[in-house]
Amino acid sequence: MTWNELFAYWPGVADAALINATKGTPEAKKLLAKYPWAKIVVDRSGRLAVDFRVDKLESGDEPGPYLRLRVFIDPATNIPADRVQASAVTARFRSKTS
């Protein structure tokens, strides 16, 4: 692993800096214009990414539909990697045990 790859995941790179870099992407601007309350989280568990998520809970606090925009970060530069992933989930499936 190169120093740049290691540095991208190092806690010294502030989440706020990564979030600010991704807020400038066209996709994030559109999502935040419509949903300014979107939750923004840095995900360092796999590929470095910033998630913009809009949750909507159904009655009874059951999980409901949500939108997610994931902006991947280039670990060599710590800026958006020109790759985004959008998903809209309308239902979640649960396994029930008897």
Side-chain angles (χ1 to χ4, degrees):
M1 178 179 287
T2 67
W3 171 252
N4 287 336
E5 290 171 326
L6 180 62
F7 186 73
Y9 295 92
W10 180 59
V13 177
D15 288 355
L18 297 173
I19 290 169
N20 286 335
T22 58
K23 280 185 175 179
T25 63
E27 297 86 359
K29 285 181 181 180
K30 279 187 176 182
L31 185 130
L32 290 172
K34 187 165 185 169
Y35 306 105
W37 62 87
K39 183 178 180 182
I40 306 171
V41 178
V42 174
D43 181 357
R44 298 171 187 264
S45 63
R47 292 197 52 207
L48 185 59
V50 176
D51 288 339
F52 296 80
R53 186 168 165 144
V54 180
D55 289 311
K56 179 180 177 186
L57 295 178
E58 297 172 346
S59 62
D61 289 338
E62 294 295 319
Y66 68 89
L67 298 171
R68 183 184 76 175
L69 173 70
R70 173 166 274 202
V71 180
F72 292 95
I73 303 292
D74 181 349
T77 61
N78 291 320
I79 60 173
D82 293 329
R83 180 165 177 243
V84 297
Q85 178 182 41
S87 55
V89 176
T90 56
R92 294 184 184 167
F93 297 98
R94 290 188 207 101
S95 63
K96 293 184 178 181
T97 56
S98 303

